[in-house]
Amino acid sequence: MKCRKILLNKYVSKIYEACGEGRDFVVILKYAEREEAMRKILEKCKIKRSIAGVLTTCVYEAKEVSVSITGKLILKEVNGRENAEKILNKLLE
């Protein structure tokens, strides 16, 4: 558990639940670490589509993840913050 928090603290600036019907979470990566974090995430995901290198939509463990070049992630249909953090931790390992 402690290792998970350390890893998230290294790469993640903010995590918050998006408004709306779905259980989506928005994750803002730390600017200094965003390129390394995005590389790790994209290596582990199956890419569905990429829009001009600006936005990449991919799938990890049956969850859709949108990765923006600005360092913003959207985790779709995740049940609770704890599950969102578990998925992020696996992606960032």
Side-chain angles (χ1 to χ4, degrees):
M1 183 74 149
K2 187 175 183 179
C3 183
R4 178 184 306 154
K5 291 292 184 187
I6 292 171
L7 189 59
L8 290 179
N9 285 339
K10 179 179 179 182
Y11 293 108
V12 176
S13 174
K14 296 178 186 176
I15 302 174
Y16 55 93
E17 191 168 356
C19 299
E21 295 177 27
R23 297 283 303 191
D24 301 346
F25 283 83
V26 178
V27 179
I28 308 296
L29 299 173
K30 289 185 178 177
Y31 184 80
E33 304 293 336
R34 80 173 199 267
E35 288 182 23
E36 179 183 352
M38 290 188 319
R39 180 185 47 78
K40 288 182 173 193
I41 292 166
L42 293 174
E43 285 176 356
K44 293 181 176 125
C45 291
K46 180 181 177 193
I47 296 175
K48 286 174 53 176
R49 69 177 167 235
S50 180
I51 302 170
V54 176
L55 179 69
T56 303
T57 304
C58 51
V59 176
Y60 181 76
E61 292 185 355
K63 302 293 182 192
E64 186 174 306
V65 181
S66 297
V67 182
S68 169
I69 196 166
T70 61
K72 184 185 288 187
L73 311 175
I74 300 174
L75 304 174
K76 301 244 183 210
E77 299 299 323
V78 178
N79 294 325
R81 184 182 179 98
E82 187 174 317
N83 286 335
E85 288 179 359
K86 284 180 185 178
I87 292 169
L88 277 172
N89 189 55
K90 289 178 187 177
L91 286 169
L92 294 170
E93 287 180 329

Coordinates of all heavy atoms in Angstrom, one line a residue:
M1 N 0.8 -1.2 0.0 CA 0.0 0.0 0.0 C 0.9 1.3 0.0 O 0.6 2.2 -0.7 CB -0.9 0.0 1.2 CG -1.9 1.1 1.3 SD -3.2 0.9 0.1 CE -4.5 1.6 0.9
K2 N 1.9 1.3 0.8 CA 2.8 2.4 0.9 C 3.5 2.6 -0.4 O 3.7 3.8 -0.8 CB 3.8 2.3 2.1 CG 4.6 3.5 2.4 CD 5.4 3.3 3.6 CE 6.2 4.6 3.9 NZ 7.0 4.5 5.1
C3 N 4.0 1.5 -1.0 CA 4.7 1.6 -2.3 C 3.8 2.2 -3.3 O 4.2 3.0 -4.1 CB 5.2 0.2 -2.7 SG 6.1 0.2 -4.2
R4 N 2.5 1.9 -3.3 CA 1.5 2.4 -4.3 C 1.5 4.0 -4.1 O 1.5 4.7 -5.1 CB 0.2 1.8 -4.0 CG -0.9 2.4 -5.0 CD -2.2 1.8 -4.7 NE -2.3 0.4 -4.7 CZ -3.1 -0.3 -4.0 NH1 -4.0 0.2 -3.3 NH2 -3.1 -1.7 -4.1
K5 N 1.4 4.5 -2.9 CA 1.3 5.9 -2.7 C 2.6 6.6 -3.1 O 2.5 7.7 -3.7 CB 1.0 6.2 -1.2 CG -0.3 5.8 -0.7 CD -1.4 6.6 -1.3 CE -2.8 6.3 -0.8 NZ -3.8 6.9 -1.5
I6 N 3.7 6.0 -2.9 CA 5.0 6.6 -3.3 C 5.0 6.7 -4.9 O 5.4 7.8 -5.4 CB 6.2 5.8 -2.8 CG1 6.3 5.9 -1.3 CG2 7.5 6.3 -3.5 CD1 7.3 5.0 -0.6
L7 N 4.6 5.7 -5.5 CA 4.6 5.7 -7.0 C 3.6 6.7 -7.5 O 3.9 7.5 -8.4 CB 4.2 4.3 -7.5 CG 4.4 4.1 -9.0 CD1 5.9 4.3 -9.4 CD2 4.0 2.6 -9.4
L8 N 2.4 6.8 -7.0 CA 1.4 7.8 -7.4 C 1.9 9.2 -7.1 O 1.7 10.1 -8.0 CB 0.1 7.5 -6.8 CG -0.7 6.3 -7.2 CD1 -2.0 6.1 -6.5 CD2 -0.9 6.2 -8.7
N9 N 2.6 9.4 -6.0 CA 3.1 10.7 -5.7 C 4.2 11.2 -6.6 O 4.3 12.4 -6.9 CB 3.6 10.7 -4.2 CG 2.5 10.8 -3.2 OD1 1.4 11.2 -3.5 ND2 2.8 10.3 -2.0
K10 N 4.9 10.2 -7.2 CA 6.0 10.5 -8.1 C 5.4 11.1 -9.5 O 5.9 12.0 -10.0 CB 6.8 9.3 -8.4 CG 7.9 9.6 -9.4 CD 8.8 8.4 -9.7 CE 9.9 8.7 -10.7 NZ 10.7 7.6 -11.0
Y11 N 4.3 10.5 -9.9 CA 3.8 10.8 -11.3 C 2.5 11.6 -11.3 O 2.3 12.3 -12.3 CB 3.5 9.5 -12.1 CG 4.8 8.8 -12.4 CD1 5.1 7.6 -11.7 CD2 5.7 9.2 -13.3 CE1 6.2 6.9 -12.0 CE2 6.8 8.5 -13.7 CZ 7.1 7.3 -13.0 OH 8.2 6.6 -13.3
V12 N 1.7 11.5 -10.3 CA 0.3 12.1 -10.3 C 0.2 13.4 -9.5 O 0.6 13.4 -8.3 CB -0.7 11.1 -9.8 CG1 -2.1 11.7 -9.8 CG2 -0.7 9.8 -10.7
S13 N -0.3 14.4 -10.1 CA -0.5 15.7 -9.5 C -1.9 15.7 -8.8 O -2.0 16.0 -7.6 CB -0.4 16.8 -10.5 OG -0.8 18.0 -9.9
K14 N -3.0 15.3 -9.5 CA -4.3 15.3 -9.0 C -5.1 14.2 -9.6 O -4.9 13.8 -10.7 CB -5.0 16.6 -9.4 CG -4.4 17.9 -8.8 CD -5.2 19.1 -9.3 CE -4.5 20.4 -8.9 NZ -5.2 21.5 -9.4
I15 N -6.1 13.7 -8.7 CA -7.1 12.7 -9.2 C -8.4 13.2 -8.7 O -8.6 13.5 -7.5 CB -6.8 11.3 -8.6 CG1 -5.5 10.8 -8.9 CG2 -7.9 10.4 -9.0 CD1 -5.1 9.5 -8.2
Y16 N -9.4 13.3 -9.6 CA -10.7 13.7 -9.2 C -11.8 13.0 -10.0 O -11.5 12.6 -11.2 CB -10.9 15.2 -9.1 CG -10.6 16.0 -10.4 CD1 -11.6 16.2 -11.3 CD2 -9.3 16.4 -10.6 CE1 -11.3 16.9 -12.4 CE2 -9.0 17.1 -11.8 CZ -10.1 17.4 -12.7 OH -9.8 18.1 -13.8
E17 N -12.9 12.8 -9.4 CA -14.0 12.2 -10.1 C -14.7 13.2 -11.0 O -15.0 14.3 -10.7 CB -15.0 11.6 -9.1 CG -16.1 10.7 -9.7 CD -16.9 9.9 -8.7 OE1 -16.6 10.1 -7.5 OE2 -17.8 9.2 -9.1
A18 N -14.9 12.8 -12.3 CA -15.6 13.6 -13.3 C -17.1 13.7 -13.0 O -17.7 12.8 -12.5 CB -15.3 13.1 -14.7
C19 N -17.7 14.8 -13.4 CA -19.1 14.9 -13.2 C -19.8 14.1 -14.3 O -19.3 13.9 -15.4 CB -19.5 16.4 -13.4 SG -18.8 17.5 -12.1
G20 N -21.1 13.8 -14.1 CA -21.8 13.1 -15.1 C -22.3 11.8 -14.6 O -22.2 11.4 -13.5
E21 N -22.9 11.0 -15.6 CA -23.5 9.7 -15.2 C -22.5 8.6 -14.9 O -22.7 7.8 -14.1 CB -24.4 9.3 -16.4 CG -25.6 10.2 -16.6 CD -26.4 9.8 -17.8 OE1 -26.4 8.6 -18.1 OE2 -27.1 10.6 -18.4
G22 N -21.4 8.6 -15.7 CA -20.4 7.5 -15.6 C -19.6 7.7 -14.4 O -19.6 8.7 -13.7
R23 N -18.8 6.7 -14.0 CA -17.9 6.7 -13.0 C -16.5 6.9 -13.5 O -15.6 6.0 -13.5 CB -17.9 5.4 -12.2 CG -19.2 5.1 -11.5 CD -19.4 5.9 -10.3 NE -18.3 5.6 -9.4 CZ -18.2 5.9 -8.1 NH1 -19.2 6.6 -7.6 NH2 -17.2 5.7 -7.4
D24 N -16.2 8.1 -14.1 CA -15.0 8.4 -14.7 C -14.1 9.2 -13.8 O -14.6 10.0 -12.9 CB -15.2 9.3 -16.0 CG -16.1 8.5 -17.0 OD1 -16.3 7.3 -16.9 OD2 -16.5 9.2 -17.9
F25 N -12.8 9.0 -13.9 CA -11.8 9.8 -13.1 C -10.9 10.5 -14.0 O -10.4 9.9 -15.0 CB -11.1 8.8 -12.2 CG -11.9 8.4 -11.0 CD1 -12.8 7.4 -11.0 CD2 -11.7 9.1 -9.8 CE1 -13.5 7.0 -9.9 CE2 -12.5 8.7 -8.7 CZ -13.4 7.7 -8.8
V26 N -10.6 11.7 -13.7 CA -9.6 12.5 -14.4 C -8.3 12.6 -13.6 O -8.4 12.8 -12.4 CB -10.2 14.0 -14.6 CG1 -9.1 14.8 -15.3 CG2 -11.5 13.9 -15.4
V27 N -7.2 12.3 -14.2 CA -5.9 12.3 -13.6 C -5.0 13.3 -14.3 O -4.9 13.3 -15.5 CB -5.3 10.9 -13.7 CG1 -3.9 10.8 -13.0 CG2 -6.2 9.8 -13.1
I28 N -4.4 14.1 -13.5 CA -3.4 15.1 -14.0 C -2.0 14.6 -13.6 O -1.8 14.5 -12.4 CB -3.7 16.5 -13.5 CG1 -5.2 16.9 -13.6 CG2 -2.7 17.5 -14.1 CD1 -5.6 17.1 -15.1
L29 N -1.2 14.4 -14.6 CA 0.2 14.0 -14.3 C 1.0 15.2 -14.0 O 0.8 16.3 -14.5 CB 0.7 13.2 -15.5 CG 0.0 12.0 -15.9 CD1 0.6 11.5 -17.3 CD2 0.1 10.9 -14.9
K30 N 2.1 14.9 -13.2 CA 3.0 16.0 -12.9 C 3.8 16.4 -14.2 O 4.2 15.5 -14.9 CB 4.0 15.6 -11.8 CG 3.4 15.5 -10.5 CD 4.4 15.1 -9.4 CE 3.7 15.1 -8.0 NZ 4.6 14.7 -7.0
Y31 N 4.0 17.6 -14.4 CA 4.6 18.1 -15.7 C 5.9 17.5 -15.9 O 6.2 17.0 -17.0 CB 4.6 19.6 -15.7 CG 5.1 20.2 -17.0 CD1 4.3 20.3 -18.1 CD2 6.5 20.5 -17.1 CE1 4.7 20.8 -19.3 CE2 6.9 21.0 -18.3 CZ 6.1 21.1 -19.4 OH 6.5 21.6 -20.6
A32 N 6.8 17.5 -14.9 CA 8.2 17.0 -15.0 C 8.2 15.6 -15.4 O 9.2 15.1 -16.0 CB 9.0 17.4 -13.8
E33 N 7.2 14.8 -14.9 CA 7.3 13.3 -15.1 C 6.3 12.8 -16.2 O 6.2 11.6 -16.4 CB 6.9 12.7 -13.8 CG 7.8 13.1 -12.6 CD 9.3 12.6 -12.8 OE1 9.5 11.6 -13.5 OE2 10.2 13.2 -12.2
R34 N 5.6 13.7 -16.8 CA 4.5 13.3 -17.7 C 4.9 12.4 -18.9 O 4.3 11.5 -19.2 CB 3.6 14.5 -18.1 CG 4.2 15.3 -19.3 CD 3.2 16.3 -19.8 NE 3.6 16.7 -21.1 CZ 4.3 17.8 -21.4 NH1 4.8 18.5 -20.4 NH2 4.6 18.1 -22.6
E35 N 6.0 12.7 -19.5 CA 6.5 12.0 -20.7 C 6.8 10.5 -20.3 O 6.4 9.6 -21.0 CB 7.7 12.7 -21.4 CG 7.2 13.9 -22.1 CD 8.4 14.6 -22.8 OE1 9.4 13.9 -23.1 OE2 8.3 15.8 -23.1
E36 N 7.5 10.4 -19.2 CA 7.9 9.0 -18.7 C 6.6 8.3 -18.3 O 6.5 7.1 -18.7 CB 8.8 9.1 -17.5 CG 9.2 7.8 -16.9 CD 10.1 7.9 -15.7 OE1 10.5 9.0 -15.4 OE2 10.3 6.8 -15.1
A37 N 5.7 8.9 -17.6 CA 4.5 8.3 -17.2 C 3.6 7.9 -18.4 O 3.1 6.8 -18.5 CB 3.7 9.2 -16.3
M38 N 3.5 8.8 -19.4 CA 2.7 8.4 -20.6 C 3.3 7.3 -21.4 O 2.6 6.4 -21.9 CB 2.5 9.7 -21.5 CG 1.6 10.7 -20.8 SD 1.2 12.1 -21.9 CE 2.6 12.5 -22.7
R39 N 4.6 7.2 -21.4 CA 5.3 6.1 -22.1 C 5.0 4.8 -21.5 O 4.7 3.8 -22.1 CB 6.8 6.4 -22.1 CG 7.6 5.3 -22.9 CD 9.1 5.5 -22.8 NE 9.6 5.8 -21.4 CZ 9.8 4.9 -20.4 NH1 9.5 3.7 -20.6 NH2 10.3 5.3 -19.3
K40 N 5.1 4.8 -20.1 CA 4.8 3.6 -19.4 C 3.3 3.1 -19.6 O 3.0 2.0 -19.8 CB 5.0 3.8 -17.9 CG 6.5 3.9 -17.5 CD 6.6 4.0 -16.0 CE 8.0 3.9 -15.5 NZ 8.2 3.8 -14.1
I41 N 2.4 4.1 -19.5 CA 1.0 3.8 -19.7 C 0.7 3.2 -21.1 O 0.1 2.2 -21.2 CB 0.1 5.0 -19.4 CG1 0.2 5.4 -17.9 CG2 -1.3 4.8 -19.9 CD1 -0.3 6.8 -17.6
L42 N 1.2 3.9 -22.1 CA 0.9 3.5 -23.5 C 1.6 2.1 -23.8 O 1.1 1.4 -24.6 CB 1.4 4.5 -24.5 CG 0.5 5.8 -24.4 CD1 1.1 6.9 -25.3 CD2 -0.9 5.6 -24.7
E43 N 2.7 1.8 -23.2 CA 3.3 0.5 -23.4 C 2.4 -0.7 -22.8 O 2.5 -1.8 -23.4 CB 4.7 0.4 -22.7 CG 5.8 1.2 -23.4 CD 7.1 1.2 -22.6 OE1 7.1 0.6 -21.5 OE2 8.1 1.7 -23.1
K44 N 1.7 -0.4 -21.8 CA 0.8 -1.4 -21.2 C -0.6 -1.5 -21.7 O -1.3 -2.5 -21.4 CB 0.8 -1.2 -19.7 CG 2.2 -1.4 -19.0 CD 2.1 -1.2 -17.6 CE 3.5 -1.5 -17.0 NZ 4.1 -0.5 -16.3
C45 N -1.0 -0.6 -22.5 CA -2.4 -0.5 -23.0 C -2.4 -1.0 -24.4 O -1.5 -0.9 -25.2 CB -2.9 0.9 -22.9 SG -3.2 1.5 -21.3
K46 N -3.6 -1.5 -24.8 CA -3.9 -1.8 -26.2 C -4.5 -0.5 -26.8 O -5.6 -0.1 -26.4 CB -4.8 -3.0 -26.3 CG -5.2 -3.3 -27.7 CD -6.2 -4.5 -27.8 CE -6.5 -4.7 -29.2 NZ -7.6 -5.6 -29.4
I47 N -3.9 0.0 -27.8 CA -4.3 1.3 -28.4 C -5.5 1.0 -29.3 O -5.4 0.2 -30.2 CB -3.2 2.0 -29.1 CG1 -2.1 2.4 -28.1 CG2 -3.7 3.2 -29.9 CD1 -0.8 3.0 -28.7
K48 N -6.6 1.8 -29.1 CA -7.8 1.7 -30.0 C -7.6 2.7 -31.1 O -7.9 2.4 -32.2 CB -9.0 2.0 -29.2 CG -9.5 0.9 -28.3 CD -10.6 1.2 -27.4 CE -11.8 1.7 -28.1 NZ -13.0 1.9 -27.2
R49 N -7.3 4.0 -30.8 CA -7.1 5.0 -31.8 C -6.3 6.1 -31.2 O -6.2 6.4 -30.0 CB -8.5 5.5 -32.3 CG -9.2 6.3 -31.2 CD -10.5 6.9 -31.8 NE -11.2 7.3 -30.6 CZ -12.5 6.9 -30.3 NH1 -13.1 6.1 -31.0 NH2 -13.0 7.4 -29.2
S50 N -5.7 6.8 -32.2 CA -4.8 8.0 -31.8 C -5.3 9.1 -32.8 O -5.4 8.9 -34.0 CB -3.4 7.7 -32.0 OG -2.6 8.8 -31.7
I51 N -5.5 10.3 -32.2 CA -6.0 11.4 -32.9 C -4.8 12.4 -33.1 O -4.5 13.1 -32.1 CB -7.2 12.1 -32.3 CG1 -8.3 11.1 -32.1 CG2 -7.6 13.3 -33.1 CD1 -9.5 11.5 -31.3
A52 N -4.1 12.4 -34.2 CA -3.0 13.3 -34.5 C -2.0 13.4 -33.4 O -1.3 14.4 -33.3 CB -3.6 14.7 -34.8
G53 N -1.8 12.3 -32.7 CA -0.8 12.3 -31.6 C -1.1 13.1 -30.4 O -0.3 13.3 -29.5
V54 N -2.3 13.7 -30.4 CA -2.7 14.6 -29.4 C -3.5 13.9 -28.3 O -3.3 14.1 -27.1 CB -3.5 15.8 -29.9 CG1 -4.0 16.7 -28.8 CG2 -2.7 16.6 -30.9
L55 N -4.3 12.9 -28.7 CA -5.2 12.2 -27.8 C -5.1 10.7 -28.3 O -5.4 10.4 -29.4 CB -6.6 12.7 -27.8 CG -7.6 11.9 -26.9 CD1 -7.2 12.2 -25.5 CD2 -9.0 12.4 -27.2
T56 N -4.8 9.8 -27.3 CA -4.8 8.4 -27.6 C -5.8 7.7 -26.7 O -5.8 7.9 -25.5 CB -3.4 7.8 -27.3 OG1 -2.4 8.5 -28.1 CG2 -3.3 6.3 -27.7
T57 N -6.7 6.9 -27.3 CA -7.6 6.1 -26.6 C -7.2 4.7 -26.6 O -6.9 4.1 -27.6 CB -9.0 6.2 -27.2 OG1 -9.4 7.6 -27.3 CG2 -10.1 5.5 -26.4
C58 N -7.1 4.1 -25.4 CA -6.6 2.7 -25.3 C -7.4 2.0 -24.2 O -8.2 2.5 -23.5 CB -5.1 2.7 -25.0 SG -4.6 3.7 -23.6
V59 N -7.1 0.7 -24.1 CA -7.8 -0.2 -23.2 C -6.8 -0.9 -22.3 O -5.8 -1.4 -22.8 CB -8.7 -1.2 -23.9 CG1 -9.3 -2.2 -23.0 CG2 -9.7 -0.6 -24.8
Y60 N -7.1 -0.9 -21.0 CA -6.3 -1.6 -20.0 C -7.2 -2.3 -19.1 O -8.0 -1.7 -18.4 CB -5.3 -0.7 -19.3 CG -4.4 -1.4 -18.3 CD1 -3.3 -2.1 -18.7 CD2 -4.7 -1.3 -16.9 CE1 -2.5 -2.8 -17.8 CE2 -3.9 -2.0 -16.0 CZ -2.8 -2.7 -16.5 OH -2.0 -3.4 -15.6
E61 N -7.1 -3.7 -18.9 CA -7.9 -4.5 -18.0 C -9.4 -4.1 -18.2 O -10.2 -3.9 -17.3 CB -7.5 -4.3 -16.6 CG -6.2 -4.8 -16.3 CD -5.9 -4.7 -14.8 OE1 -6.6 -4.1 -14.0 OE2 -4.8 -5.3 -14.4
A62 N -9.9 -4.1 -19.5 CA -11.2 -3.8 -19.9 C -11.7 -2.4 -19.5 O -12.9 -2.2 -19.5 CB -12.2 -4.9 -19.3
K63 N -10.8 -1.5 -19.2 CA -11.2 -0.1 -18.9 C -10.6 0.7 -19.9 O -9.5 0.6 -20.4 CB -10.6 0.3 -17.5 CG -11.1 -0.5 -16.3 CD -12.5 -0.4 -16.1 CE -13.0 -1.2 -14.8 NZ -14.4 -1.3 -14.7
E64 N -11.4 1.7 -20.4 CA -10.9 2.6 -21.4 C -10.1 3.8 -20.7 O -10.6 4.3 -19.7 CB -12.1 3.2 -22.2 CG -11.7 4.1 -23.3 CD -12.8 4.5 -24.2 OE1 -13.6 3.7 -24.6 OE2 -13.0 5.8 -24.4
V65 N -9.0 4.1 -21.3 CA -8.1 5.1 -20.8 C -7.8 6.1 -21.9 O -7.4 5.6 -23.0 CB -6.8 4.5 -20.3 CG1 -5.9 5.6 -19.7 CG2 -7.0 3.5 -19.2
S66 N -8.1 7.4 -21.7 CA -7.8 8.4 -22.7 C -6.5 9.1 -22.2 O -6.5 9.5 -21.1 CB -8.9 9.4 -22.9 OG -10.0 8.7 -23.5
V67 N -5.5 9.2 -23.1 CA -4.3 9.9 -22.7 C -4.0 11.1 -23.6 O -3.9 10.9 -24.8 CB -3.1 8.9 -22.9 CG1 -1.8 9.5 -22.4 CG2 -3.3 7.6 -22.1
S68 N -4.0 12.2 -23.0 CA -3.7 13.5 -23.7 C -2.3 13.8 -23.6 O -1.6 13.6 -22.6 CB -4.6 14.6 -23.1 OG -4.2 15.8 -23.6
I69 N -1.8 14.4 -24.7 CA -0.3 14.8 -24.7 C 0.0 15.8 -23.7 O 1.1 16.0 -23.3 CB 0.0 15.3 -26.1 CG1 1.5 15.3 -26.3 CG2 -0.5 16.7 -26.4 CD1 2.0 15.5 -27.7
T70 N -1.0 16.5 -23.1 CA -0.8 17.5 -22.1 C -0.6 16.9 -20.7 O -0.3 17.6 -19.8 CB -2.0 18.5 -22.0 OG1 -3.2 17.8 -21.7 CG2 -2.2 19.3 -23.3
G71 N -0.8 15.6 -20.6 CA -0.6 14.9 -19.3 C -1.9 14.7 -18.6 O -1.9 14.5 -17.4
K72 N -3.0 14.7 -19.2 CA -4.3 14.5 -18.6 C -4.8 13.1 -19.0 O -4.7 12.8 -20.2 CB -5.3 15.5 -19.0 CG -6.7 15.4 -18.3 CD -7.7 16.3 -18.8 CE -7.4 17.7 -18.3 NZ -8.5 18.7 -18.7
L73 N -5.2 12.3 -18.1 CA -5.8 11.0 -18.3 C -7.2 11.0 -17.9 O -7.6 11.6 -17.0 CB -5.1 9.9 -17.5 CG -3.5 9.9 -17.5 CD1 -3.1 8.8 -16.5 CD2 -3.0 9.6 -18.9
I74 N -8.0 10.2 -18.6 CA -9.4 9.9 -18.2 C -9.6 8.4 -18.1 O -9.4 7.7 -19.1 CB -10.4 10.5 -19.2 CG1 -10.2 12.0 -19.3 CG2 -11.9 10.2 -18.8 CD1 -11.1 12.7 -20.3
L75 N -9.9 8.0 -16.9 CA -10.2 6.5 -16.7 C -11.7 6.4 -16.7 O -12.4 7.0 -15.9 CB -9.6 6.1 -15.4 CG -8.2 6.3 -15.1 CD1 -7.8 5.9 -13.7 CD2 -7.3 5.5 -16.1
K76 N -12.2 5.6 -17.6 CA -13.7 5.5 -17.8 C -14.2 4.3 -17.0 O -13.6 3.2 -17.0 CB -14.0 5.3 -19.3 CG -13.6 6.4 -20.1 CD -14.7 7.1 -20.7 CE -14.3 8.2 -21.7 NZ -15.2 9.2 -21.7
E77 N -15.4 4.5 -16.5 CA -16.2 3.4 -15.8 C -15.4 2.7 -14.7 O -15.3 1.4 -14.7 CB -16.7 2.4 -16.8 CG -17.7 3.0 -17.8 CD -18.9 3.6 -17.2 OE1 -19.5 3.0 -16.3 OE2 -19.4 4.6 -17.7
V78 N -14.8 3.4 -13.8 CA -14.0 2.9 -12.7 C -14.9 3.0 -11.4 O -15.4 4.1 -11.2 CB -12.7 3.6 -12.5 CG1 -11.9 3.0 -11.3 CG2 -11.9 3.4 -13.8
N79 N -15.0 2.0 -10.7 CA -15.8 2.0 -9.5 C -15.0 2.5 -8.3 O -14.4 1.7 -7.6 CB -16.4 0.6 -9.2 CG -17.4 0.2 -10.2 OD1 -18.2 1.1 -10.8 ND2 -17.5 -1.0 -10.6
G80 N -15.0 3.7 -8.0 CA -14.3 4.3 -6.8 C -12.9 4.7 -7.0 O -12.2 4.2 -7.9
R81 N -12.5 5.6 -6.2 CA -11.2 6.2 -6.2 C -10.1 5.1 -5.9 O -9.0 5.1 -6.5 CB -11.0 7.3 -5.2 CG -9.7 8.0 -5.3 CD -9.6 9.1 -4.2 NE -8.4 9.8 -4.3 CZ -8.1 10.9 -4.9 NH1 -9.1 11.6 -5.5 NH2 -6.9 11.5 -4.9
E82 N -10.4 4.2 -5.0 CA -9.4 3.2 -4.7 C -9.1 2.3 -5.9 O -7.9 2.0 -6.2 CB -9.9 2.3 -3.5 CG -8.9 1.3 -3.0 CD -9.3 0.6 -1.8 OE1 -9.9 1.2 -0.9 OE2 -9.1 -0.6 -1.8
N83 N -10.1 1.9 -6.7 CA -9.9 1.2 -7.9 C -9.1 2.0 -8.9 O -8.3 1.4 -9.6 CB -11.2 0.6 -8.4 CG -11.8 -0.5 -7.6 OD1 -11.0 -1.2 -7.0 ND2 -13.1 -0.7 -7.7
A84 N -9.4 3.3 -9.0 CA -8.7 4.1 -10.0 C -7.2 4.2 -9.6 O -6.4 4.1 -10.5 CB -9.3 5.5 -10.0
E85 N -6.9 4.3 -8.3 CA -5.5 4.3 -7.9 C -4.8 3.0 -8.1 O -3.7 2.9 -8.5 CB -5.5 4.7 -6.4 CG -5.8 6.1 -6.1 CD -5.7 6.5 -4.6 OE1 -5.5 5.6 -3.8 OE2 -6.0 7.7 -4.3
K86 N -5.6 1.9 -8.0 CA -5.0 0.5 -8.3 C -4.6 0.4 -9.7 O -3.5 -0.1 -10.1 CB -6.0 -0.6 -7.9 CG -6.1 -0.8 -6.4 CD -7.1 -1.9 -6.1 CE -7.3 -2.1 -4.6 NZ -8.3 -3.2 -4.3
I87 N -5.5 0.8 -10.6 CA -5.3 0.8 -12.0 C -4.1 1.7 -12.4 O -3.2 1.3 -13.1 CB -6.5 1.2 -12.8 CG1 -7.6 0.1 -12.7 CG2 -6.2 1.4 -14.3 CD1 -8.9 0.5 -13.2
L88 N -4.1 2.9 -11.8 CA -2.9 3.8 -12.1 C -1.6 3.2 -11.6 O -0.6 3.3 -12.3 CB -3.2 5.1 -11.4 CG -4.1 6.1 -12.1 CD1 -4.3 7.3 -11.2 CD2 -3.4 6.6 -13.4
N89 N -1.6 2.6 -10.5 CA -0.4 2.0 -10.0 C 0.1 0.9 -10.9 O 1.3 0.9 -11.2 CB -0.7 1.4 -8.6 CG 0.6 1.0 -7.9 OD1 1.5 1.8 -7.8 ND2 0.7 -0.2 -7.5
K90 N -0.8 0.1 -11.4 CA -0.3 -1.0 -12.3 C 0.2 -0.4 -13.6 O 1.2 -0.9 -14.2 CB -1.5 -1.9 -12.7 CG -1.9 -2.8 -11.5 CD -3.1 -3.6 -11.9 CE -3.7 -4.4 -10.7 NZ -4.9 -5.1 -11.1
L91 N -0.4 0.7 -14.1 CA 0.0 1.3 -15.3 C 1.4 2.0 -15.2 O 2.1 2.1 -16.1 CB -1.0 2.4 -15.8 CG -2.3 1.8 -16.4 CD1 -3.3 2.9 -16.6 CD2 -2.0 1.1 -17.7
L92 N 1.6 2.5 -14.0 CA 2.9 3.3 -13.8 C 4.0 2.5 -13.3 O 5.1 3.0 -13.1 CB 2.6 4.5 -12.8 CG 1.6 5.5 -13.4 CD1 1.2 6.5 -12.3 CD2 2.2 6.2 -14.6
E93 N 3.8 1.2 -13.0 CA 4.9 0.4 -12.5 C 6.0 0.2 -13.5 O 5.8 0.2 -14.7 CB 4.4 -1.0 -12.1 CG 3.6 -1.0 -10.8 CD 3.1 -2.4 -10.4 OE1 2.8 -3.2 -11.3 OE2 3.0 -2.6 -9.2

